[in-house]
Amino acid sequence: MKNIVLFGPPGAGKGTQAAFLKERYQLIHISTGDVFRFNIKNNTTLGILAKSYMDKGDLVPDKVTIDMLKAEVDKNLNTNGIIFDGFPRTNSQATALDAFLASKGTQINAMIALEVPENLLVERLLKRGLTSGRPDDQDEEKIRNRFNEYQNKTAVLVDYYTAQNKYYGVNGVGSIQEITDRLCAVFDTL
Ligand code: ADP
């Protein structure tokens, strides 16, 4: 399996790009945000819990998120690889993921990060909020809180994967196609 962490701040374009990569390389795409939103829509216990954090732009607690992620991976081990989108977002999620994948005889091959300046991100998220129906996209204060969470808890993961020689930064500004091409150029070297 070739497994990648598709990384970047909120609004960087991870979901959009994951859809192209999934198609091109026949990968499984696991988006923790999408799994949470699916649970919210279906009013599950997990969804009700996650919603209280997500609506404010806070991260959902690690234990809940890690257990959910493991269950998703377990359903999808028979594949060319997995794109992790929105996970890991904290150091303990990253160590839990490494240990879990190792126990399944596989690993993360790369973290590929979409690099986009913050002013452009806010613009993209507010625009997405007009149509996405996501409460966390509709209010600049919630968006700023998501960036804070990203800076405080998630950005350190760049160091985590750099230390393993697995970090690849990609310019996330350009047309969707240009960015897909940049990501594929990295993926093809793995
Ligand atoms: P974005 O990257 O645009 O913020 P996501 O759909 O990836 O959107 O995530 C939306 C929200 O879901 C996050 O703000 C957070 O509350 C929750 N979430 C998603 N993934 C995680 C995670 N790995 N750990 C904790 N919370 C998460």
Side-chain angles (χ1 to χ4, degrees):
M1 286 169 81
K2 266 198 213 175
N3 303 307
I4 61 165
V5 174
L6 192 56
F7 193 70
K14 300 183 293 281
T16 305
Q17 293 299 333
F20 287 105
L21 294 177
K22 170 187 164 167
E23 197 60 35
R24 166 132 177 196
Y25 298 102
Q26 297 296 300
L27 305 170
I28 296 289
H29 172 208
I30 300 179
S31 156
T32 41
D34 286 351
V35 180
F36 283 136
R37 282 185 288 274
F38 178 82
N39 277 276
I40 292 172
K41 207 170 92 202
N42 291 288
N43 238 338
T44 67
T45 314
L46 174 65
I48 291 162
L49 175 72
K51 186 171 167 43
S52 62
Y53 295 92
M54 288 172 72
D55 279 354
K56 289 183 275 176
D58 291 342
L59 291 186
V60 178
D62 278 338
K63 164 110 181 64
V64 178
T65 308
I66 291 167
D67 287 350
M68 176 191 88
L69 188 277
K70 286 180 179 173
E72 288 298 312
V73 173
D74 263 330
K75 287 188 241 164
N76 289 296
L77 281 166
N78 207 351
T79 167
N80 290 334
I82 300 175
I83 304 169
F84 292 93
D85 164 4
F87 190 96
R89 262 173 147 107
T90 64
N91 245 315
S92 58
Q93 290 181 14
T95 48
L97 180 62
D98 275 350
F100 183 64
L101 292 180
S103 78
K104 303 287 173 186
T106 186
Q107 73 292 307
I108 291 295
N109 296 77
M111 166 191 265
I112 312 182
L114 289 169
E115 297 169 341
V116 182
E118 188 168 320
N119 56 343
L120 196 55
L121 295 170
V122 178
E123 206 178 289
R124 285 186 187 176
L125 289 169
L126 287 170
K127 191 167 160 221
R128 182 169 83 185
L130 297 175
T131 52
S132 69
R134 283 179 54 171
D136 60 343
D137 282 347
Q138 288 165 0
D139 171 334
E140 193 152 345
E141 200 179 315
K142 288 174 188 172
I143 292 177
R144 294 278 168 210
N145 188 39
R146 281 153 70 199
F147 288 135
N148 282 341
E149 289 278 77
Y150 179 81
Q151 283 309 336
N152 295 336
K153 298 176 184 169
T154 308
V156 292
L157 295 181
V158 170
D159 299 336
Y160 182 90
Y161 288 97
T162 300
Q164 296 187 18
N165 254 329
K166 291 179 179 171
Y167 179 82
Y168 299 83
V170 162
N171 178 3
V173 183
S175 71
I176 291 178
Q177 178 67 52
E178 279 165 350
I179 298 165
T180 308
D181 291 346
R182 291 174 198 149
L183 292 170
C184 291
V186 173
F187 194 88
D188 288 337
T189 66
L190 301 175

